[in-house]
Amino acid sequence: MDNEQAVFYSRVLTELTLTFHIIYATIGVGVPLMIFIAQWLGIKKQDEHYILLARRWTRGFIITVAVGVVTGTAIGLQLNLLWPTFMELAGNVIALPLFMETFAFFFEAIFLGIYLYTWDRFENQKKHMLLLIPVAVGASFSAIFITMVNAFMNAPQGFEMADGNLINVQPLIAMFNPAMPTKVAHVLATAYMTSAFILASIGAYRMLKGSDHVYHKKALLLTIKIGLVFSVASAIIGDFAGKYLAAYQPEKLAAMEWHFETEEGAALTLFGILQNGNEIKYSLELPYALSILAHGNPNAKVIGLDQFPAENIPPLYIHYLFNTMVLIGMGVTILALMYIIGKFLKRQFIYRRFFLWLIVTSGPLCMVAIEAGWWLAEVGRQPWVLRGILRTEDAATTSNQVDLMLYLFIGLYLILGIASAIVLIRMFRSNPVERELADMKGRG
Amino acid sequence: MSFELIGISVLWLFLFGYIIVASIDFGAGFFNAYSVLTNKQHIISNIIQRYLSPVWEVTNVFLVFFFVGMVGFFPGTAYFYGTILLVPASISIVLLAIRGAYYAFTTYGRLKSKFWTYLYGFSGLFIPASLSIVLTISEGGFIYIEDTRIILNYFALFASPLTWSIVILSLTSVLYISAVFLTWYANKAEDKNAAELMRKYALSWALPAIITALGIIVELRLHNPIHYNRLLDVWWLFVISFALFLITLRLIWVRKKYGVAFTVLVFQFLVAFFAYGVSHYPYLLYPHLTVTEGFTSEAMAIALIIAFIAGLCLLIPSLYLILKLFLFNKEYVQGKAK
C-alpha cells in the first residue's frame, strides 16, 4: 500500500468511527440533562409519571452509554494509531483539554454507576436526584473539552514553529482559541436539542401505536418544550459560527456557500446543484443575505474562493451538507413551535396521525443534521488536519494494514449498531409504561 | 523531582491501577463463563454480577486515562507506538468494545444467552494478551526503521519466547488477582460456597503466576541484557514482592483475613511492577525513545500536573464514595440492599 492509499483508508476509518460514535455521544451528552429535568419535575410536582419517565429514560440511556464508552475508547486510540504525526504535534499543544476530558468522563462514569444502583437506597428521592448533577455535568464537560481539541484543529494557536520544532507552547491559549466559543456552544445546544427530539419521537411513536396514556402526553410536551428552547439557541449560535468563519476561516465559508468571487453585498445561495466545477443550477439566491450572515451588514465584503490557491480549497460538496443541516434545524424548530402553540390553544391537530408522524421523524432527522454538521465542519477543514500547519496527507500512518482494520471496524460497528437497536427495542416493548404503572400501583 | 519523572510515575501508577481493576474484571468474566460451563453458575454468578455492575465503566476509564496521559506527557510515544501498534491495538479495541457493550446488553437489556456469557468470559482473556504485546514491544528488537517508516516485525514478535512469556504472565496473573479478590468479596457476602470455590481457584493459579513471573526475568536476560542487569540491581524489591506473595498464599491457605490477603497481593504486584518500571527507566521504547526525548514542553507539563491534581481532588472522594456504597457496604454486597 502506498502512502496515498494509507491516507485514504485512514480518513475513511476515522470518519466511520466518528460517525458511529457521534450518534451515541450526542445522546450521552443530552439525555442526562433530560433525565435530571424529568426527575426534578417529578419531585417538584409530586407526579410519579415524571419519575417513571426518568427511570425509563435511564434504562435506555445505559445501553447507549455502553456503546458510547466503547466507541469513544476506540476513537481515542485510533487517533494515535491512524494519525501518529498529528498526535505527536497536537499532543504537545492540546494535551491539556484531552486530559481534562478523561477526568470529566471518569467523574460521569463513577456517578452514573452510583445513580443506577441506588434507586431504592435513599429515603429521600432528592438525594438520588443530586447524583444526576455530576452525571450531566461530567457528560457536558467531556463534550466541552473534546470540542476544544477539535476547535484547535480549526484555529491552531498557542505555540510557535521554529525549524519544525514547537516552541513557546501555551496550553491555555491553545485551549481558548477563536473557534472554541461557537463550536462548544453549538455542540452542546444541538446535543440537548437532538436528545430532546429523539425522546419526543419515542413518545409520539407510542401514541401512534394506540397508547393514549397521559404519561405520553406529558413526556411529549416536556421534550418538545426543551427541544424548542435548544433549537432556537442552536440557530442563534449557528449565526455566530458563520461570523466566526467569515473572520477566521473564510475559505470554509466560501466553499460551503459556493461563493466564488469576492464581492460586497453578497447573496446567499440556497440549494442548487453544481455542474462543471462552478456553474450553479436550480438555486435560490437571497440577495445580501450572505453579507448579513458573515458580517451583520448587507453591504459588507465577503471573501470568495478566488482568493485562495486551488490546493487549499475544501471540497465544494459541503454546500449540500450545510443545506441539510440548516433545513432540518429550521424544520424541527417550526414543528416544535406549532406543537406548543397548538397545545396552548387546545387544538386537536397536534394529536392527529400525520402530525404525530412528523414528530416521530424529528428525532432521527436531528441526528442526520448532527452528522451533516460534523461532516461539514470536518470536510470543510480539508486539506488541513491543523489548518495552515499540517496537511492531512502528511499526518497519516505509514502502516500497510489500514484497509484490513477498516473492514474489522465496519464489522464491529454493524454488530454494535444492530445489537444495541434490538436490545433497546426489546427492552421497551416487553415492558410498556402501562404495565409498569400498574406494577407501581400494586406495590404502593 | 523532574517533570519527566513525575509524569512517568503518575502514568505508571495509573497503568498499575488499570491492571488491578481490569484483572478483577477480566478474571471475573472468565470465572463466570467457566462456572456456566461446569454447571456451578448458581454458586458464584450472583457475587460476580453484584461486584461488576456498578464499576465496569470505571474500569474502562482507567485505560483511557493511561493512554491519553501518555500522549499528553510524552507526545513522542504517539508517533512511535501509534505507528507500530495499529494492528494489535485495533484488535484490543474490538475485543474491549464487544466485551463492554455486551456486558451492558446482557445486564440491563435482558439479552440472556449462554453464548454471550462465553463470549464475554473468554474474550476477557484475549484482551490482556493483546494489550501485553505493548510491554513486549517496549523491550525493543521488534522494530526496524526503513527511510522514515517505522515497521513492526511481526515474525520476530511472534517467534520470540519473550512475547509468549509475557502473554502467559498476563493470563495467569489476571486469574490469580481476580480469584483472590473474589474470594474476599464472596466471604464478605457470607457466601460460603462461592468463597470456597474462589479460594480453590486462587490457590490453583498462585503457582503458575509466580513461575511465569520468574520466567520473564530469564527471558529478558537473553532478549535485553541492559534491562536484565538493571533488574538485578533492584533484586531486593523482587525478594520483598515474593515474600508478600507467600503471605497472601498463607492467609488464603488457612482461610483467614481474606481482606488482608488481597491488600498484600496488591502490594506484591505494586512492588514488582515498580521494580520493573524503575529498571526500564529511562527508556519508553528500547532503544529508540527515552523519557526525556519523548517529553512534552515544560509549560504543558506544568499545566497537566495542575490539571491532574485538580482532577484527583474530584476523583478520590468520588472513588471513595463508590467503594463505600458498593464494595464496603455489607447490605449491598450480601444482596440485601439494591
Side-chain angles (χ1 to χ4, degrees):
Chain A
M1 190 188 296
D2 57 23
N3 192 43
E4 207 173 302
Q5 274 179 307
V7 174
F8 173 75
Y9 283 115
S10 297
R11 289 187 59 185
V12 176
L13 181 49
T14 310
E15 183 164 12
L16 179 75
T17 303
L18 275 174
T19 300
F20 189 70
H21 176 62
I22 280 166
I23 298 174
Y24 296 90
T26 303
I27 295 173
V29 172
V31 170
L33 183 71
M34 310 301 143
I35 300 173
F36 175 78
I37 293 174
Q39 204 176 348
W40 175 70
L41 278 178
I43 292 169
K44 205 180 106 181
K45 294 187 173 180
Q46 288 296 314
D47 186 334
E48 63 171 2
H49 288 152
Y50 288 104
I51 301 273
L52 185 62
L53 204 56
R55 236 175 211 235
R56 289 176 66 88
W57 285 347
T58 307
R59 265 185 239 141
F61 177 62
I62 188 72
I63 300 294
T64 60
V65 164
V67 182
V69 167
V70 296
T71 53
T73 312
I75 188 65
L77 266 168
Q78 254 176 22
L79 280 179
N80 298 288
L81 300 173
L82 297 174
W83 309 98
T85 315
F86 161 67
M87 282 308 280
E88 188 186 17
L89 194 68
N92 274 301
V93 190
I94 203 68
L96 182 62
L98 214 57
F99 196 58
M100 287 161 86
E101 196 253 341
T102 56
F103 271 115
F105 177 35
F106 221 139
F107 196 52
E108 182 198 350
I110 289 173
F111 281 93
L112 187 64
I114 299 177
Y115 178 75
L116 281 176
Y117 284 88
T118 52
W119 272 101
D120 303 312
R121 183 96 64 104
F122 301 110
E123 288 286 314
N124 189 345
Q125 271 291 316
K126 262 188 202 154
K127 265 192 192 168
H128 189 235
M129 180 186 78
L130 290 180
L131 290 170
L132 269 175
I133 296 177
V135 177
V137 168
S140 294
F141 268 91
S142 53
I144 291 172
F145 290 131
I146 208 67
T147 311
M148 281 177 165
V149 177
N150 182 269
F152 170 80
M153 294 159 81
N154 283 279
Q157 62 170 31
F159 62 100
E160 285 166 48
M161 295 285 270
D163 308 325
N165 289 320
L166 289 166
I167 53 165
N168 286 339
V169 174
Q170 293 171 292
L172 288 175
I173 306 283
M175 247 170 104
F176 294 95
N177 56 70
M180 191 279 283
T182 47
K183 276 225 170 217
V184 166
H186 199 60
V187 163
L188 283 183
T190 51
Y192 298 144
M193 162 188 171
T194 304
S195 303
F197 279 111
I198 284 178
L199 297 172
S201 293
I202 297 172
Y205 184 77
R206 288 312 312 163
M207 287 168 80
L208 274 169
K209 289 288 150 189
S211 173
D212 62 349
H213 201 282
V214 63
Y215 168 92
H216 295 298
K217 290 186 180 168
K218 285 180 186 169
L220 206 53
L221 183 61
L222 174 64
T223 48
I224 289 191
K225 268 187 197 162
I226 301 173
L228 181 65
V229 169
F230 285 110
S231 58
V232 171
S234 306
I236 295 170
I237 299 159
D239 182 58
F240 286 132
K243 291 181 172 49
Y244 157 79
L245 285 181
Y248 291 90
Q249 265 180 297
E251 76 280 12
K252 191 189 224 174
L253 184 72
M256 79 191 210
E257 305 291 8
W258 287 348
H259 185 56
F260 292 98
E261 269 151 50
T262 306
E263 59 180 343
E264 292 172 8
L268 184 68
T269 307
L270 282 180
F271 314 115
I273 295 171
L274 200 63
Q275 285 174 337
N276 307 326
N278 59 0
E279 273 175 54
I280 305 170
K281 283 202 172 158
Y282 316 114
S283 70
L284 190 69
E285 302 261 322
L286 293 183
Y288 303 110
L290 184 57
S291 287
I292 296 172
L293 181 76
H295 301 286
N297 170 0
N299 292 315
K301 186 161 97 178
V302 182
I303 298 172
L305 287 171
D306 55 352
Q307 300 292 313
F308 303 95
E311 72 268 20
N312 284 355
I313 293 177
L316 293 179
Y317 73 80
I318 59 174
H319 178 72
Y320 305 116
L321 299 172
F322 176 69
N323 278 341
T324 309
M325 173 182 86
V326 172
L327 217 61
I328 292 174
M330 283 165 57
V332 296
T333 312
I334 294 169
L335 187 71
L337 202 61
M338 281 170 71
Y339 181 89
I340 292 185
I341 293 172
K343 182 86 187 172
F344 182 72
L345 299 175
K346 298 204 166 61
R347 293 295 162 90
Q348 279 307 307
F349 78 87
I350 56 171
Y351 297 123
R352 291 212 193 272
R353 293 191 72 81
F354 83 94
F355 199 81
L356 287 176
W357 272 118
L358 282 179
I359 297 176
V360 172
T361 59
S362 69
L365 278 177
C366 282
M367 199 51 93
V368 171
I370 292 268
E371 297 285 4
W374 272 112
W375 292 331
L376 164 69
E378 296 305 278
V379 179
R381 178 163 41 91
Q382 295 307 317
W384 304 102
V385 172
L386 285 175
R387 182 179 175 273
I389 292 170
L390 183 66
R391 282 183 172 268
T392 309
E393 70 244 30
D394 300 325
T397 179
T398 48
S399 174
N400 281 335
Q401 291 97 2
V402 193
D403 52 342
L404 284 178
M405 295 303 110
L406 174 64
Y407 304 131
L408 181 71
F409 280 98
I410 289 177
L412 173 71
Y413 300 143
L414 272 178
I415 294 175
L416 288 184
I418 295 171
S420 60
I422 292 176
V423 167
L424 279 171
I425 292 169
R426 272 208 342 201
M427 231 165 133
F428 290 99
R429 196 164 275 168
S430 65
N431 188 19
V433 175
E434 287 76 5
R435 189 197 300 163
E436 202 165 343
L437 277 170
D439 286 353
M440 277 168 78
K441 290 253 159 54
R443 265 188 282 140
Chain B
M1 199 145 93
S2 68
F3 287 131
E4 288 99 314
L5 204 55
I6 296 178
I8 198 71
S9 309
V10 162
L11 293 176
W12 205 235
L13 207 64
F14 262 84
L15 184 60
F16 178 74
Y18 178 67
I19 287 177
I20 295 294
V21 292
S23 292
I24 295 173
D25 186 303
F26 295 140
F30 173 79
F31 288 127
N32 191 27
Y34 183 72
S35 69
V36 173
L37 200 67
T38 52
N39 278 325
K40 287 177 184 160
Q41 191 181 15
H42 55 283
I43 306 181
I44 53 172
S45 276
N46 275 336
I47 291 286
I48 289 175
Q49 289 271 323
R50 221 174 293 143
Y51 166 73
L52 282 185
S53 299
V55 298
W56 68 272
E57 207 188 340
V58 177
T59 306
N60 218 344
V61 189
F62 269 93
L63 177 66
V64 178
F65 196 96
F66 172 72
F67 71 71
V68 170
M70 195 73 190
V71 177
F73 278 105
F74 302 97
T77 55
Y79 180 65
F80 274 96
Y81 282 108
T83 310
I84 309 161
L85 290 176
L86 179 69
V87 176
S90 290
I91 293 172
S92 307
I93 297 173
V94 170
L95 290 170
L96 275 171
I98 293 203
R99 211 179 113 83
Y102 276 97
Y103 182 74
F105 293 171
T106 48
T107 313
Y108 310 103
R110 303 169 183 184
L111 193 71
K112 297 262 183 276
S113 133
K114 278 190 182 175
F115 174 71
W116 298 123
T117 312
Y118 291 143
L119 188 73
Y120 180 73
F122 295 109
S123 69
L125 291 188
F126 290 106
I127 298 171
S130 65
L131 289 177
S132 62
I133 293 278
V134 183
L135 284 181
T136 320
I137 292 172
S138 80
E139 292 298 336
F142 303 110
I143 292 163
Y144 56 97
I145 296 177
E146 213 172 63
D147 300 330
T148 54
R149 284 164 75 135
I150 311 168
I151 294 166
L152 179 63
N153 184 344
Y154 283 98
F155 179 77
L157 185 64
F158 285 109
S160 163
L162 179 67
T163 309
W164 297 105
S165 313
I166 291 186
V167 165
I168 294 171
L169 174 67
S170 72
L171 291 183
T172 50
S173 25
V174 158
L175 295 173
Y176 175 57
I177 293 171
S178 185
V180 173
F181 174 82
L182 289 170
T183 309
W184 172 42
Y185 197 74
N187 187 56
K188 243 175 113 78
E190 291 174 11
D191 189 335
K192 285 273 178 305
N193 292 332
E196 276 304 302
L197 188 63
M198 290 320 301
R199 174 181 170 271
K200 213 173 83 192
Y201 292 151
L203 289 176
S204 43
W205 283 107
L207 208 57
I210 203 77
I211 289 173
T212 44
L214 291 171
I216 301 289
I217 299 178
V218 178
E219 285 302 333
L220 264 184
R221 184 177 167 182
L222 299 169
H223 187 86
N224 184 341
I226 306 173
H227 191 185
Y228 174 76
N229 285 326
R230 298 212 34 165
L231 272 177
L232 289 190
D233 291 344
V234 289
W235 61 271
W236 51 276
L237 284 173
F238 291 100
V239 172
I240 294 176
S241 180
F242 187 72
L244 294 172
F245 167 76
L246 292 179
I247 295 173
T248 305
L249 207 59
R250 169 82 191 154
L251 287 172
I252 291 184
W253 186 260
V254 298
R255 294 191 178 81
K256 266 188 193 147
K257 296 188 178 143
Y258 290 136
V260 178
F262 179 71
T263 316
V264 171
L265 170 135
V266 170
F267 278 99
Q268 172 212 329
F269 276 88
L270 183 66
V271 170
F273 195 69
F274 179 72
Y276 176 83
V278 165
S279 57
H280 205 285
Y281 187 85
Y283 287 99
L284 293 168
L285 174 63
Y286 274 104
H288 304 284
L289 191 65
T290 66
V291 166
T292 331
E293 287 161 354
F295 198 60
T296 188
S297 62
E298 191 172 315
M300 182 57 84
I302 294 171
L304 287 179
I305 290 169
I306 292 171
F308 181 74
I309 292 169
L312 279 191
C313 292
L314 265 183
L315 276 191
I316 290 172
S318 322
L319 279 173
Y320 173 75
L321 186 64
I322 199 169
L323 289 178
K324 194 170 164 273
L325 284 171
F326 298 112
L327 206 54
F328 301 120
N329 184 299
K330 238 189 154 86
E331 299 244 300
Y332 174 80
V333 174
Q334 294 177 357
K336 286 175 194 155
K338 261 193 125 178

